[in-house]
Amino acid sequence: MNKPAIFAHRGASGQFPENTMRAFEEALQSGVNGIELDVQLTKDGEVIIIHDEKIDRTTNGQGFVKDFTLAELETFDAGGWFSSKFEGERLVTLDKVLAWMQKEGNHLLRLNIELKNDQIQYVGLEDKVLALINKYDLQERIIISSFNPFSLQRVRMQNANIEIGYLIFGMPDNALWIAKEIGANAIHCEAPYALSAYGEAAKKAGYPLRIYTVNAEDEYKQLMKAGVEVIMTDFPERFN
Protein backbone atom coordinates (compact mmCIF):
# COMPACT_ATOMS: atom_id res chain seq x y z
CA MET A 1 0.00 0.00 0.00
CA ASN A 2 1.51 3.31 -1.08
CA LYS A 3 1.52 6.16 1.41
CA PRO A 4 -0.07 9.36 0.13
CA ALA A 5 2.14 12.39 -0.31
CA ILE A 6 1.76 14.96 2.48
CA PHE A 7 1.05 18.59 1.60
CA ALA A 8 1.04 21.26 4.31
CA HIS A 9 -2.27 23.14 4.08
CA ARG A 10 -1.44 26.87 4.01
CA GLY A 11 1.91 25.76 5.38
CA ALA A 12 2.11 24.16 8.82
CA SER A 13 -0.98 26.17 9.71
CA GLY A 14 -1.99 24.15 12.77
CA GLN A 15 0.96 25.49 14.75
CA PHE A 16 2.02 28.62 12.84
CA PRO A 17 0.15 31.54 11.24
CA GLU A 18 -1.21 30.33 7.91
CA ASN A 19 0.20 31.41 4.55
CA THR A 20 3.31 33.05 6.06
CA MET A 21 6.96 32.29 5.40
CA ARG A 22 7.25 30.92 8.93
CA ALA A 23 4.47 28.39 8.22
CA PHE A 24 6.11 27.40 4.92
CA GLU A 25 9.58 27.05 6.41
CA GLU A 26 8.30 24.95 9.32
CA ALA A 27 6.40 22.73 6.87
CA LEU A 28 9.59 22.15 4.89
CA GLN A 29 11.47 21.22 8.08
CA SER A 30 8.76 18.67 8.94
CA GLY A 31 9.58 16.76 5.74
CA VAL A 32 6.48 17.43 3.65
CA ASN A 33 6.25 16.58 -0.03
CA GLY A 34 4.46 19.80 -0.85
CA ILE A 35 2.83 23.00 0.36
CA GLU A 36 -0.62 24.33 -0.48
CA LEU A 37 -1.22 28.08 -0.49
CA ASP A 38 -3.77 30.61 -1.75
CA VAL A 39 -3.25 33.63 -4.01
CA GLN A 40 -5.15 36.81 -4.78
CA LEU A 41 -4.34 40.14 -6.46
CA THR A 42 -3.53 43.41 -4.75
CA LYS A 43 -4.88 46.76 -5.90
CA ASP A 44 -1.68 47.29 -7.90
CA GLY A 45 -1.79 43.84 -9.49
CA GLU A 46 0.72 41.92 -7.37
CA VAL A 47 0.14 38.24 -6.55
CA ILE A 48 -0.09 37.97 -2.78
CA ILE A 49 -0.58 34.88 -0.62
CA ILE A 50 -3.69 35.00 1.57
CA HIS A 51 -6.77 32.79 1.90
CA ASP A 52 -9.65 35.14 2.70
CA GLU A 53 -10.85 37.87 0.36
CA LYS A 54 -10.70 40.21 3.37
CA ILE A 55 -7.66 40.70 5.58
CA ASP A 56 -9.67 40.93 8.82
CA ARG A 57 -9.19 37.37 10.11
CA THR A 58 -5.46 36.88 9.54
CA THR A 59 -4.01 40.38 9.96
CA ASN A 60 -4.51 43.38 12.22
CA GLY A 61 -6.11 45.29 9.34
CA GLN A 62 -9.59 45.46 7.86
CA GLY A 63 -10.92 45.44 4.33
CA PHE A 64 -10.64 43.60 1.04
CA VAL A 65 -7.27 42.45 -0.31
CA LYS A 66 -8.13 44.00 -3.68
CA ASP A 67 -8.47 47.48 -2.14
CA PHE A 68 -4.87 47.66 -0.85
CA THR A 69 -1.57 48.02 -2.69
CA LEU A 70 1.18 45.53 -1.92
CA ALA A 71 3.10 48.19 0.03
CA GLU A 72 0.02 48.83 2.17
CA LEU A 73 -0.62 45.13 2.79
CA GLU A 74 2.98 44.59 3.84
CA THR A 75 2.50 47.01 6.75
CA PHE A 76 -0.05 44.76 8.46
CA ASP A 77 0.86 42.15 11.06
CA ALA A 78 -0.03 38.65 9.83
CA GLY A 79 1.10 36.65 12.87
CA GLY A 80 -0.22 38.26 16.05
CA TRP A 81 -3.79 37.06 15.44
CA PHE A 82 -2.52 33.48 15.81
CA SER A 83 -0.28 34.04 18.82
CA SER A 84 1.59 36.98 20.31
CA LYS A 85 4.86 35.13 19.76
CA PHE A 86 4.37 35.43 15.99
CA GLU A 87 3.84 39.20 15.95
CA GLY A 88 5.80 40.74 13.11
CA GLU A 89 5.07 38.04 10.53
CA ARG A 90 4.01 39.64 7.25
CA LEU A 91 1.98 38.73 4.23
CA VAL A 92 4.20 37.37 1.48
CA THR A 93 4.13 37.47 -2.32
CA LEU A 94 4.09 34.44 -4.58
CA ASP A 95 7.27 35.82 -6.17
CA LYS A 96 9.11 35.51 -2.84
CA VAL A 97 7.91 31.94 -2.22
CA LEU A 98 8.86 30.78 -5.71
CA ALA A 99 12.33 32.26 -5.24
CA TRP A 100 12.54 30.42 -1.89
CA MET A 101 11.67 27.16 -3.65
CA GLN A 102 14.83 27.46 -5.71
CA LYS A 103 17.09 27.52 -2.66
CA GLU A 104 19.40 24.63 -1.93
CA GLY A 105 17.56 21.93 -0.01
CA ASN A 106 14.13 22.94 -1.35
CA HIS A 107 14.50 21.30 -4.75
CA LEU A 108 12.09 18.38 -4.11
CA LEU A 109 9.28 20.47 -2.67
CA ARG A 110 6.08 20.77 -4.71
CA LEU A 111 3.71 23.72 -4.55
CA ASN A 112 -0.07 23.72 -4.92
CA ILE A 113 -1.19 27.24 -5.82
CA GLU A 114 -4.92 27.78 -5.29
CA LEU A 115 -6.35 30.64 -7.35
CA LYS A 116 -8.83 32.35 -5.01
CA ASN A 117 -11.04 33.77 -7.71
CA ASP A 118 -14.27 31.94 -7.00
CA GLN A 119 -15.73 34.83 -4.93
CA ILE A 120 -13.98 37.79 -6.60
CA GLN A 121 -13.01 37.67 -10.26
CA TYR A 122 -9.38 38.81 -10.33
CA VAL A 123 -8.78 39.75 -13.95
CA GLY A 124 -5.38 38.52 -15.08
CA LEU A 125 -4.65 36.37 -12.03
CA GLU A 126 -3.97 33.29 -14.17
CA ASP A 127 -1.58 35.19 -16.47
CA LYS A 128 0.38 36.66 -13.59
CA VAL A 129 0.73 33.35 -11.76
CA LEU A 130 1.89 31.56 -14.90
CA ALA A 131 4.38 34.35 -15.65
CA LEU A 132 5.91 33.97 -12.18
CA ILE A 133 6.14 30.20 -12.55
CA ASN A 134 7.93 30.69 -15.88
CA LYS A 135 10.22 33.30 -14.34
CA TYR A 136 11.57 30.72 -11.90
CA ASP A 137 11.28 27.75 -14.29
CA LEU A 138 9.24 25.75 -11.77
CA GLN A 139 6.49 24.34 -13.98
CA GLU A 140 7.38 20.71 -13.18
CA ARG A 141 6.89 21.30 -9.46
CA ILE A 142 3.64 23.27 -9.54
CA ILE A 143 -0.03 22.32 -9.27
CA ILE A 144 -2.61 25.02 -9.95
CA SER A 145 -6.03 24.49 -8.38
CA SER A 146 -9.28 26.41 -8.06
CA PHE A 147 -12.97 25.97 -7.31
CA ASN A 148 -13.55 28.07 -10.45
CA PRO A 149 -13.46 25.75 -13.49
CA PHE A 150 -13.44 28.68 -15.92
CA SER A 151 -10.26 29.98 -14.31
CA LEU A 152 -8.62 26.57 -14.68
CA GLN A 153 -9.77 26.45 -18.28
CA ARG A 154 -7.97 29.76 -18.87
CA VAL A 155 -4.82 28.28 -17.32
CA ARG A 156 -5.04 25.25 -19.60
CA MET A 157 -5.54 27.41 -22.69
CA GLN A 158 -2.30 29.24 -21.89
CA ASN A 159 -0.30 26.22 -20.79
CA ALA A 160 -0.92 22.73 -22.12
CA ASN A 161 1.39 20.97 -19.68
CA ILE A 162 1.14 22.48 -16.22
CA GLU A 163 -0.64 20.30 -13.68
CA ILE A 164 -4.19 21.37 -12.83
CA GLY A 165 -6.34 20.22 -9.91
CA TYR A 166 -10.09 20.81 -9.99
CA LEU A 167 -11.21 21.76 -6.48
CA ILE A 168 -14.65 20.66 -5.35
CA PHE A 169 -16.73 21.01 -2.21
CA GLY A 170 -19.13 18.31 -1.04
CA MET A 171 -20.37 15.60 -3.40
CA PRO A 172 -21.05 17.08 -6.85
CA ASP A 173 -22.12 14.43 -9.33
CA ASN A 174 -20.59 16.30 -12.28
CA ALA A 175 -17.05 16.79 -10.95
CA LEU A 176 -15.49 14.10 -13.12
CA TRP A 177 -17.20 15.46 -16.23
CA ILE A 178 -16.00 19.01 -15.50
CA ALA A 179 -12.45 17.79 -14.77
CA LYS A 180 -12.38 16.16 -18.19
CA GLU A 181 -13.86 19.22 -19.92
CA ILE A 182 -11.30 21.67 -18.50
CA GLY A 183 -8.27 19.43 -18.96
CA ALA A 184 -7.61 18.88 -15.26
CA ASN A 185 -5.09 16.27 -14.13
CA ALA A 186 -6.59 15.53 -10.70
CA ILE A 187 -9.55 16.23 -8.42
CA HIS A 188 -9.01 17.98 -5.10
CA CYS A 189 -11.81 17.00 -2.73
CA GLU A 190 -12.89 16.24 0.81
CA ALA A 191 -12.67 12.79 2.39
CA PRO A 192 -16.36 11.79 1.89
CA TYR A 193 -16.07 12.30 -1.88
CA ALA A 194 -12.85 10.30 -2.02
CA LEU A 195 -14.46 7.42 -0.12
CA SER A 196 -17.64 7.44 -2.25
CA ALA A 197 -18.58 5.81 -5.54
CA TYR A 198 -17.83 9.17 -7.19
CA GLY A 199 -14.28 9.05 -5.91
CA GLU A 200 -13.87 5.46 -7.06
CA ALA A 201 -15.13 6.38 -10.53
CA ALA A 202 -12.68 9.29 -10.71
CA LYS A 203 -9.74 7.05 -9.81
CA LYS A 204 -10.83 4.45 -12.38
CA ALA A 205 -10.96 7.23 -14.99
CA GLY A 206 -7.34 8.07 -14.19
CA TYR A 207 -7.87 11.10 -11.95
CA PRO A 208 -5.79 11.04 -8.76
CA LEU A 209 -7.53 12.35 -5.65
CA ARG A 210 -5.94 14.96 -3.39
CA ILE A 211 -7.77 15.40 -0.12
CA TYR A 212 -8.26 18.49 2.04
CA THR A 213 -8.09 19.03 5.04
CA VAL A 214 -7.12 15.88 6.97
CA ASN A 215 -5.96 16.26 10.57
CA ALA A 216 -7.17 13.04 12.22
CA GLU A 217 -5.16 9.81 12.07
CA ASP A 218 -8.18 7.52 11.62
CA GLU A 219 -9.33 9.52 8.58
CA TYR A 220 -5.78 9.43 7.21
CA LYS A 221 -5.72 5.61 7.50
CA GLN A 222 -9.05 5.31 5.68
CA LEU A 223 -7.84 7.50 2.86
CA MET A 224 -4.54 5.66 2.59
CA LYS A 225 -6.48 2.39 2.14
CA ALA A 226 -8.59 4.10 -0.53
CA GLY A 227 -5.45 4.88 -2.51
CA VAL A 228 -5.56 8.67 -2.61
CA GLU A 229 -2.53 10.49 -3.99
CA VAL A 230 -2.18 13.45 -1.62
CA ILE A 231 -3.28 14.34 1.91
CA MET A 232 -3.41 18.05 2.74
CA THR A 233 -3.12 18.73 6.45
CA ASP A 234 -2.69 21.59 8.91
CA PHE A 235 -0.42 19.32 11.00
CA PRO A 236 2.11 17.74 8.61
CA GLU A 237 4.31 16.51 11.46
CA ARG A 238 1.55 14.05 12.45
CA PHE A 239 1.87 12.08 9.23
CA ASN A 240 5.60 12.18 8.48
Side-chain angles (χ1 to χ4, degrees):
M1 186 185 304
N2 291 329
K3 285 185 69 175
I6 302 298
F7 280 26
H9 181 243
R10 306 178 201 168
S13 58
Q15 293 183 293
F16 303 92
E18 66 180 61
N19 279 330
T20 61
M21 281 309 306
R22 180 67 184 275
F24 302 148
E25 287 164 353
E26 295 289 344
L28 178 68
Q29 293 305 313
S30 75
V32 294
N33 305 104
I35 288 173
E36 184 269 353
L37 53 75
D38 312 276
V39 297
Q40 304 190 50
L41 285 184
T42 66
K43 185 177 181 178
D44 49 345
E46 297 295 327
V47 183
I48 195 159
I49 299 169
I50 186 169
H51 178 271
D52 299 2
E53 286 76 18
K54 297 180 80 172
I55 65 173
D56 302 40
R57 180 177 65 86
T58 57
T59 80
N60 61 341
Q62 290 184 317
F64 285 94
V65 174
K66 67 180 180 63
D67 293 332
F68 295 95
T69 65
L70 175 60
E72 290 168 337
L73 288 168
E74 288 178 333
T75 66
F76 296 116
D77 182 282
W81 68 275
F82 190 84
S83 167
S84 59
K85 66 182 178 181
F86 298 120
E87 284 180 7
E89 284 294 322
R90 300 296 171 193
L91 297 175
V92 63
T93 61
L94 181 61
D95 192 303
K96 183 174 179 179
V97 170
L98 293 178
W100 171 75
M101 284 185 66
Q102 287 193 318
K103 289 185 177 179
E104 188 175 349
N106 298 7
H107 64 287
L108 295 178
L109 190 67
R110 300 195 72 198
L111 191 66
N112 179 176
I113 302 170
E114 180 181 341
L115 307 179
K116 293 296 294 183
N117 53 8
D118 46 308
Q119 301 296 322
I120 294 172
Q121 298 296 308
Y122 290 107
V123 177
L125 178 60
E126 301 88 358
D127 307 22
K128 290 175 183 288
V129 168
L130 287 170
L132 285 169
I133 294 166
N134 289 336
K135 174 182 174 181
Y136 291 101
D137 194 24
L138 286 170
Q139 178 172 307
E140 299 302 316
R141 295 164 58 194
I142 301 290
I143 300 163
I144 295 180
S145 65
S146 180
F147 286 101
N148 183 337
F150 300 107
S151 179
L152 294 177
Q153 199 166 38
R154 287 192 287 273
V155 170
R156 179 56 75 227
M157 287 172 67
Q158 294 183 57
N159 189 311
N161 300 312
I162 200 158
E163 198 160 334
I164 287 175
Y166 176 41
L167 253 171
I168 60 170
F169 177 77
M171 303 279 282
D173 59 6
N174 62 347
L176 179 57
W177 179 82
I178 292 174
K180 291 176 180 176
E181 286 293 303
I182 64 176
N185 303 92
I187 293 174
H188 295 201
C189 60
E190 295 171 295
Y193 183 94
L195 299 171
S196 73
Y198 293 134
E200 196 59 38
K203 285 186 293 181
K204 284 181 179 174
Y207 286 82
L209 302 180
R210 301 176 182 140
I211 318 306
Y212 70 94
T213 307
V214 180
N215 293 325
E217 195 164 332
D218 57 342
E219 191 170 55
Y220 168 79
K221 288 177 179 175
Q222 271 188 301
L223 291 163
M224 183 166 65
K225 286 179 185 174
V228 304
E229 184 187 79
V230 169
I231 294 289
M232 301 188 196
T233 177
D234 300 327
F235 297 93
E237 73 285 350
R238 290 181 182 173
F239 307 112
N240 274 322

